[in-house]
Amino acid sequence: MVRAGESEALRRCAECGGYAYGGAPDCGICRDLVDGIVEEEWAAFLRQWDTTPGGTQERTLAEMVAAEPDRHDWRLVDAALDRLRCPDCGDRLTRGPVGCPACDRAHGYRYAAIETDRPGVPPGNEHAIRVNVSVVRRPQVSSDGEVLVRRLLLPLLLAGFLPTTEEAQRISALVKKSPPGRRAQLVEQIVQALAEGFSRTRPAARAAGSSPTSPDTPAATHRRSAPGRPR
């Protein structure tokens, strides 16, 4: 089954004009697309269990998945947490304000979930997707600069891109030294350059049936992050 957002060609959003997914959380269309990355997998999970959305059984399944994140794909775990209420702040679990103990604890445990790299992408691509999705869907706990970079890179990650260490450091340095008023424009320019370079090299990598980084990359990579270590 192809998961939501996977292997998508870069395309423009009709509402915000940027690459689809990259306008979240402010752009409504992009925000729905990002939510769909976890929601479509949850819907398939409910169908497997012959469960109707919104009922008591769905909540029971959500509690089961959230209690055993290391046994489930990260998309299911994130969707399950959305269906549970925080006992401390009352918001969706992990979505509460900075410093909410229960939300922070659940947010750390979510990174024990399973991450499976797709065939033909650099190892770690799936981890990068889930971290960026987490930041974009929980922007209140990250700096404006981090949210900006995470959301703009997300469309490229979904298409199979993974920045090198040098590229990531260059973007980080740009964010730190840029005036707030020009930061978004400058980051958009560097991401656009990365997208153009990726678009030129990606077809050749697919034709060769290999990863963009190594012809010996395995077809799929399963990994788990340590609890509380999102990146």
Side-chain angles (χ1 to χ4, degrees):
M1 178 181 71
V2 176
R3 294 175 293 186
E6 279 195 350
S7 303
E8 289 203 6
L10 294 173
R11 57 188 174 86
R12 295 291 178 177
C13 171
E15 180 173 321
C16 69
Y19 287 125
Y21 295 87
D26 293 336
C27 170
I29 291 178
C30 289
R31 184 172 60 249
D32 288 344
L33 287 172
V34 174
D35 285 339
I37 291 174
V38 300
E39 287 301 316
E40 288 190 22
E41 188 137 333
W42 182 258
F45 182 68
L46 291 186
R47 289 193 294 270
Q48 290 176 355
W49 285 82
D50 194 23
T51 299
T52 302
T56 302
Q57 189 176 0
E58 182 185 25
R59 178 180 174 81
T60 299
L61 288 175
E63 291 172 342
M64 176 192 72
V65 171
E68 300 177 326
D70 58 319
R71 298 185 61 181
H72 302 280
D73 183 83
W74 70 268
R75 299 167 191 243
L76 287 180
V77 173
D78 281 16
L81 292 171
D82 284 344
R83 285 155 174 79
L84 302 176
R85 288 289 169 183
C86 173
D88 291 341
C89 70
D91 205 337
R92 286 182 290 177
L93 194 55
T94 76
R95 298 291 197 98
V98 176
C100 173
C103 282
D104 288 348
R105 186 166 54 250
H107 178 63
Y109 287 144
R110 83 196 310 161
Y111 284 97
I114 297 169
E115 301 165 356
T116 304
D117 282 320
R118 293 164 286 163
V121 301
N125 172 267
E126 186 71 10
H127 177 67
I129 290 173
R130 69 90 50 89
V131 172
N132 286 33
V133 167
S134 175
V135 170
V136 170
R137 299 181 83 224
R138 196 175 179 246
Q140 71 274 18
V141 302
S142 300
S143 67
D144 291 343
E146 180 171 9
V147 174
L148 172 67
V149 173
R150 297 286 183 183
R151 70 174 179 82
L152 290 178
L153 281 177
L154 181 57
L156 277 72
L157 298 174
L158 290 168
F161 172 79
L162 187 67
T164 64
T165 300
E166 181 181 359
E167 289 167 339
Q169 290 174 343
R170 182 154 53 100
I171 295 172
S172 178
L174 179 65
V175 169
K176 290 177 181 177
K177 70 180 183 182
S178 299
R182 294 197 60 210
R183 183 174 296 157
Q185 179 186 6
L186 293 173
V187 174
E188 285 175 356
Q189 289 175 353
I190 195 171
V191 170
Q192 179 63 35
L194 291 173
E196 291 173 356
F198 174 72
S199 296
R200 288 194 298 268
T201 59
R202 183 60 171 169
R206 282 180 173 170
S210 63
S211 162
T213 57
S214 170
D216 297 321
T217 299
T221 304
H222 299 264
R223 70 188 300 274
R224 294 187 179 91
S225 301
R229 297 183 59 191
R231 50 193 176 273

